[in-house]
Amino acid sequence: MSRPLICLCLTGKTLAEDVAIVNKYRQHIDAVELRADFLDEDERLHIRNFPTMIEVPAILTIRRFIDGGTYREGEASRATLFAKGLAFAEEDARRNFAYVDFEEDFHVTGLQDGAMAFGTKIIRSFHDMNNPVRNIVAKMNSLRASGYEIPKIACMPHSLKDVTTLFSEAAELEDNNQILIAMGKFGLPTRILAHKMHSMLTFCSPAELSTNLHELGQIDPVTLNELYHFRSINEQTALFGITGWPLNVTSSPKLHNSAFKRDGINAVFIPFRSESADEAFEFANTVGIRGFSVTVPHKEAIIKHLDVIDSRVEAIGACNTVVKQQGLWNGYNTDCPGFAQALKEFVWQDSLKGRKVAIIGAGGASRAVAAAVSQLGAKACIFNRTLGKAKTIADVYKFEYATLGPESVGTLKKYADIIIQTTSKGMGSKEAPGVENDPLYFYDFTGKEMVSDIVYEPDITPIMQRAKAAGCRVQNGLAMLKYQGIEQYELYKTACAEDMR
């Protein structure tokens, strides 16, 4: 099968705006889709000229509101607009639309005959903006009514499990003479791994127009090419990734994909959001993921799916790295050594003896941090809203534990030499510090504390912002990400080497 094309979706208000965007991203794309439904009304009258204004094949689409578009004027008006776009076809096919997108229930014989007569291929599309589509092969066959159409299905999964089902059913397709894509927050893997969807193309959006189709979950072409190396992905590409929930922000793909490229390894690292560890494992097994990073909240729940665990996972009770080796799923914890190295750099010492540390949170990341703090010789207290979870971790290392709230301010002050924030609070937050994004909203920093937050996006998290304003030294999670990622990468590289033997 040929490599899937990269199709840039154009949703500008004018043709000139769309042409400028095509020129800007030309090196990153193979085709474009002119979404004429987004054009200003007077601009729509000139859509026939668009193919002559660019140097790549173009799809003409006038999407109805019911199918996720903006066109509301009615079917008769839309048919007339299609006719304007396809009229006066020239013998040089490059000066005509290469494709036209007609929905499953849109059948106008004159338009169809005219398109095919002059070499414009018909994409016969079906969209479900609210639900996933089942029985993909049968649906594709029904859309290919005359045998000439290119069937397209775009649907909205409710979970990673729905996406897994799409990949499983897509494997039954015999070629890539169709378009299949999942939209929304779960759909990114289908866009990056279009070859596994047996899709002839993947859609992307320019960064400057991304808000126009935000709910569809489209990616920009530069990220698709430069971060995920889309044009290099093939059947031999080893697949790795990261899972968690909500996984709105992650720098792991940049870290690992740049390393794969540097070392000349045919592999790609992608995010796949999952609300449960069970769904993450089902996806990995179905799609052929060789290894993946595990982030909140699955670091503990993932362990039950593993065949082998290393000594750190066994001791800490949390796993952040999963690799398939010799047919078995192996679990590792690279958070602990990664955080230990980052913490030593932060405090400018190789030992924390004599220091008292407050660990905020009691999830999987907290377990790794507690292990690192214990190894470095500090005394600590685990603070968590659910006291029982804090006690479970504290008992392992003979630490103290306390509830996370104003009632524990006295204990917090006692352990405030170094404060380590391990929850997801503040992740991606652009708001001022408050109850919703700062787990220590009730604590007044004195300026003597050292504050480390394992969150790395934004660079200065809300708790770091308050601490820094009070004169505290602060650190975000980038150093931890780097050091634990280096150890992860060695595991992934070893898995790739095993495949090559």
Side-chain angles (χ1 to χ4, degrees), residues 97-392:
F97 281 100
Y99 306 89
V100 62
D101 187 313
F102 295 149
E103 293 84 3
E104 178 186 31
D105 59 352
F106 184 82
H107 293 277
V108 179
T109 302
L111 289 176
Q112 295 170 190
D113 292 345
M116 289 189 290
F118 288 96
T120 298
K121 298 178 181 179
I122 297 173
I123 296 172
R124 186 66 69 180
S125 61
F126 174 79
H127 298 80
D128 193 324
M129 307 303 296
N130 300 304
N131 299 292
V133 173
R134 300 286 187 247
N135 301 318
I136 293 298
V137 175
K139 187 63 179 178
M140 288 291 188
N141 290 336
S142 71
L143 292 171
R144 217 185 309 257
S146 69
Y148 295 104
E149 293 98 339
I150 299 169
K152 172 189 173 185
I153 297 175
C155 61
M156 187 68 72
H158 298 157
S159 65
L160 183 63
K161 185 177 181 64
D162 290 335
V163 174
T164 301
T165 300
L166 281 178
F167 273 102
S168 179
E169 294 187 1
E172 300 176 18
L173 295 167
E174 296 180 357
D175 53 37
N176 68 340
N177 191 35
Q178 57 269 319
I179 302 168
L180 176 58
I181 201 159
M183 301 178 287
K185 59 188 177 182
F186 293 104
L188 182 60
T190 70
R191 298 181 185 276
I192 299 173
L193 303 180
H195 74 290
K196 278 193 168 290
M197 300 297 286
H198 287 227
S199 183
M200 65 173 282
L201 59 79
T202 192
F203 288 99
C204 58
S205 290
E208 52 266 64
L209 295 177
S210 61
T211 55
N212 291 358
L213 298 172
H214 177 70
E215 73 281 359
L216 302 188
Q218 288 197 8
I219 189 173
D220 72 89
V222 176
T223 299
L224 191 61
N225 280 286
E226 296 187 0
L227 177 57
Y228 295 110
H229 310 145
F230 180 85
R231 285 174 166 153
S232 299
I233 298 174
N234 54 39
E235 290 298 330
Q236 288 71 50
T237 302
L239 306 181
F240 297 88
I242 180 169
T243 193
W245 185 260
L247 201 64
N248 291 324
V249 178
T250 175
S251 293
S252 292
K254 182 178 180 180
L255 187 156
H256 292 294
N257 286 327
S258 61
F260 286 138
K261 184 177 182 180
R262 178 197 66 212
D263 293 340
I265 296 175
N266 183 9
V268 65
F269 186 101
I270 68 169
F272 52 99
R273 294 178 175 181
S274 177
E275 292 181 276
S276 74
D278 294 355
E279 290 186 4
F281 247 94
E282 183 183 10
F283 176 84
N285 283 317
T286 299
V287 178
I289 302 292
R290 290 289 280 109
F292 57 96
S293 306
V294 184
T295 187
V296 293
H298 304 325
K299 294 185 179 186
E300 298 158 86
I302 208 80
I303 295 175
K304 69 179 181 181
H305 296 279
L306 302 174
D307 300 304
V308 182
I309 60 174
D310 76 348
S311 57
R312 289 187 196 134
V313 173
E314 185 173 9
I316 296 169
C319 171
N320 78 310
T321 310
V322 176
V323 183
K324 199 165 194 178
Q325 297 167 311
Q326 298 179 346
L328 299 176
W329 284 110
N330 289 251
Y332 303 88
N333 189 301
T334 68
D335 279 339
C336 180
F339 182 74
Q341 182 61 34
L343 187 57
K344 285 190 289 185
E345 289 185 0
F346 181 49
V347 301
W348 300 331
Q349 289 180 320
D350 289 335
S351 171
L352 295 182
K353 286 184 178 179
R355 301 290 189 103
K356 291 189 174 180
V357 179
I359 300 174
I360 311 304
S366 175
R367 289 173 177 269
V369 167
V373 168
S374 177
Q375 290 172 14
L376 294 175
K379 293 184 178 180
C381 182
I382 312 290
F383 295 84
N384 194 60
R385 286 184 298 178
T386 304
L387 193 61
K389 290 184 176 180
K391 182 179 185 301
T392 298

Side-chain angles (χ1 to χ4, degrees), residues 37-48:
D37 49 305
F38 278 88
L39 290 170
D40 290 338
E41 189 170 351
D42 57 340
E43 287 287 308
R44 293 174 180 173
L45 301 176
H46 306 289
I47 58 175
R48 175 62 190 88

Side-chain angles (χ1 to χ4, degrees), residues 368-424:
V369 167
V373 168
S374 177
Q375 290 172 14
L376 294 175
K379 293 184 178 180
C381 182
I382 312 290
F383 295 84
N384 194 60
R385 286 184 298 178
T386 304
L387 193 61
K389 290 184 176 180
K391 182 179 185 301
T392 298
I393 299 175
D395 286 350
V396 174
Y397 303 103
K398 296 182 172 56
F399 289 164
E400 289 193 37
Y401 56 93
T403 55
L404 181 59
E407 68 282 357
S408 297
V409 167
T411 306
L412 186 55
K413 288 180 178 179
K414 177 183 173 184
Y415 284 90
D417 290 347
I418 304 171
I419 297 175
I420 303 171
Q421 200 291 110
T422 73
T423 76
S424 59

Side-chain angles (χ1 to χ4, degrees), residues 12 16 25 79 95-97 105 116 125 241 251 438 457 472:
Y25 292 101
R95 300 177 66 83
N96 305 325
F97 281 100
D105 59 352
M116 289 189 290
S125 61
S251 293
D438 180 353
E457 177 64 37
C472 301

